Amino acid sequence: MRFHKSLTERISGMMNASLLGLLALLMIFPFYYIFAVSFTSYEEYVASELILWPKRWVLDAYTYIFNAKEFIRSLGVTIFITVVGCLANLLFTATMAYAMTRNIWGQRTFLLLVVFTFVFHAGMIPTYLIVKATGLIDSYWSLILPNLINPFNLIVFRQFFLNIPSELNEAAVIDGANDLQVFTKVIIPLSKPAFAAFGLFYAVLQWNTYFTAILYLNDPAKFTIQVILRQIVILNDAANTLTSAARDAAIAESMPPVETIGMAAILIATLPILLVYPFLQKHFAKGVMVGSVKG
Amino acid sequence: MNQKNLASELEALPNLSMTINTSRTSKLRKRLWKERYLFLLLLPGLLYFIVYRYVPMLGNIIAFQDYSPFRGFLNSEWVGLQHFQKIFSDQEVIRVLWNTIYLSFLQIAFAFPIPIVLAIMLNELKSERYKRIVQSILYLPHFLSWVVVIGIATIFLKTEGLVNRLITPLFGIEPIAFLQEPGWFMPLVILEVIWKEAGWGTIIFLASLAGVSPSLYEAAVVDGAGRWRQIWHITLPALRSTIIILLILRLGTVLDSGFEQIFLMLNPFTIEAGNVLDTYVYFLGIQQSDFSFGTAVGLFKSVVGFVLILSANWLAKRFGDEGVF
């Protein structure tokens, strides 16, 4: 009897484990497939049904994409807004969050002001008109300023600062430090993990910027990688998106590897995320960000 | 005597209140000066909230105008509630509203329960190492952009894509136009949401399970309870309040569909089946420059969303939890 029970339990445990393993495989299969096909020659892709391992590894799609000035430029734009945007996000989120941990005049009002934006959204069009009125249309700053501070991150950051013992504050003040010095010399060094975690999360958001780019940018020269990616893959319009590469291909009288270009583009646009993923994981595993999952 | 006293007292009052007043303002001034560095830290953020979060809220007044960009916010003609009346008489708006709510309920029915099941399954895993590997894979799609997710879906599902290449010879059917067929729109939205967010959604449930004392399971084993009974009597009750809270809060956001995903999936074939409030406002206000009506629809959405969220939060509190705000 006892043996019987533990056997069924072991079987159901194994089934559970294999089912989860299967799900995990199902989740990464699309990546693997796209990875494999992006290195496949166009002829082989068209000829065979399912490609799991290219017969011949070729770089056609990648050479084509890196020949396209439009693609390189969009990568440059995205790297710029990711670095500058993430730094700006961090700086202004952290400074405001810290000031809101202190017992300053009007602190309740400021907190209410922030929390209210969770529940009431200004709306897309009025925000667009204000962005326009502040002269940001077609400027890279339109991708940074309108989302400078994520209110949720602000509150979680504030929570983090509140957990720092106030004795450290007081000790620094006794040593003659002003509040600015307390922030830069005491609080920031103690909050490195929080800065790393929020920095990574903000960076991922910036890298994935799409909505604000289509909303505020009209000039194709300023498009971010996600906008270009949509045109190549979802609209299937590599020829009109990557015109410089298409022109070169036409001159060389070579057929562009249409299908595999999209896959290579997806892979390149995902690579930075995959690179920072282990670090991201370290932070949310630690629970720093669990609060922000609540929303 | 008494009267005189009273009079002099009354006379003294304004003076008194004035001295209180001046001492109050000087106290305030002193306090602000003392806190000047903190205000220096606060100010840029505060300015951001005012300019890009609160001024646009005021900008919603154009919903009551016939806004023209040349006349501006203050000089455009006022039309009262005209645009709002149109919301409830316009067939297209009603269809869009229906799509929005229908999609949300499909999500609650099919996408909402999956992280719960996944979390329970993960919780049952014996090997910590295996659990961590599975978790890392399941969480990953959360960090990908919607463009990448829908790009992948497009590559797999287009008529000449892998799925059709595999199923057409298998079932002897014509290729299915998953991306153009209106009937496939909502199921695909749900599947994509599940692929992208189901793993990430387990985190909050796993966090509630981490708080369950192992001694409960040990006691259950001593009492002869098997795996299933342990799940039923210990794991599920431990998740109960989290499930209820998340469900209620999800009900508070039924009008949010996620602009990027829907926008990226829409095409001329699926626009009728898939257009939701967020994308409708974009097409109307930004692409067709019908600022006032677009704003009215957006404001309608914000106000209803506001009421729903506050009610949801109130409801969550009534269930004995602290709510979110």
Side-chain angles (χ1 to χ4, degrees):
Chain A
M1 190 68 201
R2 229 187 144 73
F3 172 72
H4 177 72
K5 191 189 266 169
S6 78
L7 185 69
T8 51
E9 285 215 343
R10 224 184 295 158
I11 290 174
S12 68
M14 263 155 63
M15 272 170 60
N16 178 44
S18 25
L19 194 60
L20 276 171
L22 204 70
L23 279 173
L25 281 182
L26 211 66
M27 286 259 168
I28 43 170
F29 175 70
F31 281 112
Y32 175 74
Y33 177 76
I34 283 169
F35 167 79
V37 175
S38 72
F39 289 102
T40 309
S41 71
Y42 185 57
E43 294 75 24
E44 191 186 335
Y45 172 73
V46 176
S48 42
E49 262 174 19
L50 173 62
I51 290 158
L52 289 180
W53 191 258
K55 286 196 196 95
R56 196 164 56 88
W57 291 72
V58 294
L59 290 170
D60 291 2
Y62 291 93
T63 11
Y64 187 88
I65 269 193
F66 281 114
N67 262 333
K69 286 190 199 71
E70 295 81 2
F71 192 81
I72 302 293
R73 197 164 45 197
S74 77
L75 269 180
V77 169
T78 314
I79 291 170
F80 172 79
I81 64 152
T82 301
V83 173
V84 177
C86 168
L87 289 176
N89 288 147
L90 266 185
L91 176 65
F92 294 110
T93 309
T95 50
M96 188 177 185
Y98 177 66
M100 286 172 64
T101 62
R102 301 288 299 273
N103 186 20
I104 53 172
W105 178 81
Q107 59 156 337
R108 282 169 153 276
T109 317
F110 299 135
L111 194 61
L112 189 69
L113 210 69
V114 171
V115 173
F116 186 70
T117 61
F118 289 179
V119 289
F120 192 86
H121 304 285
M124 186 190 302
I125 295 169
T127 309
Y128 171 84
L129 291 174
I130 297 305
V131 170
K132 200 173 172 185
T134 46
L136 297 187
I137 296 293
D138 264 336
S139 142
Y140 294 127
W141 294 106
S142 70
L143 308 180
I144 296 170
L145 288 181
N147 290 312
L148 189 63
I149 298 174
N150 175 319
F152 214 98
N153 285 354
L154 179 74
I155 297 297
V156 181
F157 220 142
R158 175 174 175 269
Q159 213 56 47
F160 182 91
F161 286 142
L162 281 173
N163 288 336
I164 296 176
S166 63
E167 287 82 9
L168 291 169
N169 261 337
E170 285 148 22
V173 171
I174 290 168
D175 288 346
N178 65 38
D179 290 316
L180 215 55
Q181 288 163 331
V182 170
F183 181 66
T184 53
K185 302 246 161 69
V186 179
I187 302 296
I188 291 181
L190 283 172
S191 315
K192 274 183 200 145
F195 275 92
F198 286 104
L200 283 168
F201 273 74
Y202 269 132
V204 170
L205 277 183
Q206 296 283 4
W207 181 265
N208 288 341
T209 293
Y210 176 72
F211 175 53
T212 44
I214 57 159
L215 201 55
Y216 304 133
L217 301 179
N218 304 311
D219 180 3
K222 297 197 168 95
F223 282 168
T224 61
I225 183 88
Q226 306 291 339
V227 181
I228 298 284
L229 196 61
R230 179 207 179 212
Q231 294 179 346
I232 299 176
V233 183
I234 301 176
L235 302 182
N236 200 10
D237 195 11
N240 288 318
T241 310
L242 311 174
T243 41
S244 59
R247 208 184 313 117
D248 291 348
I251 292 168
E253 290 183 346
S254 65
M255 266 291 289
V258 196
E259 296 290 333
T260 52
I261 291 172
M263 310 210 190
I266 285 190
L267 226 61
I268 295 166
T270 314
L271 201 63
I273 308 269
L274 295 179
L275 288 178
V276 300
Y277 185 60
F279 302 102
L280 271 168
Q281 215 183 0
K282 200 179 101 198
H283 289 295
F284 64 71
K286 257 191 214 157
V288 182
M289 296 301 291
V290 166
S292 71
V293 182
K294 237 178 147 181
Chain B
M1 185 67 186
N2 262 346
Q3 267 177 357
K4 203 183 165 192
N5 253 347
L6 196 67
S8 65
E9 257 176 48
L10 279 175
E11 224 166 69
L13 261 180
N15 270 334
L16 192 69
S17 74
M18 231 165 80
T19 51
I20 289 172
N21 238 339
T22 50
S23 80
R24 224 182 243 164
T25 48
S26 79
K27 239 187 194 165
L28 178 65
R29 209 175 297 148
K30 248 188 211 153
R31 182 172 176 187
L32 289 180
W33 179 247
K34 206 176 132 226
E35 294 166 352
R36 65 190 179 282
Y37 290 115
L38 291 172
F39 274 94
L40 196 70
L41 293 174
L42 180 80
L43 222 55
L46 196 61
L47 206 65
Y48 159 75
F49 271 92
I50 291 168
V51 174
Y52 289 109
R53 301 261 176 182
Y54 278 88
V55 174
M57 282 185 203
L58 296 178
N60 274 309
I61 56 161
I62 68 170
F64 306 94
Q65 295 175 336
D66 219 352
Y67 176 75
S68 135
F70 306 105
R71 293 173 148 201
F73 288 102
L74 298 173
N75 297 319
S76 291
E77 194 190 332
W78 294 87
V79 295
L81 294 173
Q82 189 190 306
H83 297 301
F84 291 93
Q85 282 163 353
K86 201 178 147 200
I87 290 180
F88 298 103
S89 55
D90 190 313
Q91 281 303 310
E92 208 187 343
V93 182
I94 291 174
R95 204 193 56 233
V96 165
L97 192 61
W98 165 249
N99 283 349
T100 309
I101 294 171
Y102 179 59
L103 177 62
S104 274
F105 278 97
L106 285 179
Q107 296 223 26
I108 291 170
F110 296 103
F112 183 82
I114 294 198
I116 304 170
V117 177
L118 276 180
I120 294 173
M121 287 170 74
L122 284 168
N123 197 50
E124 290 293 310
L125 286 180
K126 293 277 181 310
S127 153
E128 277 300 314
R129 225 174 88 94
Y130 184 63
K131 185 176 166 187
R132 228 175 310 135
I133 294 171
V134 172
Q135 277 177 304
S136 344
I137 295 172
L138 295 184
Y139 294 164
L140 177 64
H142 170 77
F143 296 98
L144 302 180
S145 70
W146 273 114
V147 180
V148 166
V149 173
I150 290 159
I152 292 174
T154 307
I155 285 173
F156 275 78
L157 296 172
K158 59 185 170 185
T159 37
E160 65 276 24
L162 182 65
V163 172
N164 271 315
R165 282 183 192 207
L166 293 177
I167 63 169
T168 43
L170 201 64
F171 299 105
I173 48 170
E174 289 290 299
I176 300 169
F178 292 104
L179 304 164
Q180 284 81 33
E181 201 69 57
W184 275 101
F185 189 88
M186 298 272 179
L188 285 183
V189 171
I190 308 288
L191 281 177
E192 287 163 1
V193 167
I194 291 175
W195 188 75
K196 190 173 190 288
E197 304 295 346
W200 184 249
T202 61
I203 291 184
I204 188 157
F205 295 112
L206 287 172
S208 345
L209 288 179
V212 179
S213 155
S215 62
L216 282 178
Y217 290 106
E218 283 156 21
V221 170
V222 170
D223 288 348
R227 233 40 218 156
W228 288 105
R229 299 197 60 172
Q230 290 174 35
I231 291 174
W232 184 255
H233 290 291
I234 302 170
T235 313
L236 273 175
L239 291 176
R240 206 184 70 114
S241 69
T242 311
I243 294 174
I244 291 174
I245 295 288
L246 288 182
L247 187 62
I248 290 172
L249 291 179
R250 182 66 186 81
L251 287 172
T253 58
V254 282
L255 294 188
D256 294 319
S257 320
F259 173 87
E260 288 192 2
Q261 185 194 8
I262 306 293
F263 175 78
L264 290 163
M265 284 190 64
L266 284 175
N267 57 47
F269 303 99
T270 52
I271 189 86
E272 236 179 76
N275 208 1
V276 292
L277 278 177
D278 291 320
T279 47
Y280 180 70
V281 170
Y282 175 81
F283 291 131
L284 204 69
I286 309 293
Q287 292 196 338
Q288 296 167 30
S289 297
D290 190 350
F291 294 114
S292 280
F293 186 52
T295 304
V297 177
L299 183 60
F300 166 76
K301 192 197 149 203
S302 295
V303 170
V304 175
F306 177 68
V307 172
L308 283 175
I309 284 213
L310 288 194
S311 332
N313 196 55
W314 177 81
L315 212 63
K317 271 185 188 157
R318 296 227 41 191
F319 272 93
D321 285 84
E322 53 196 285
V324 178
F325 309 116

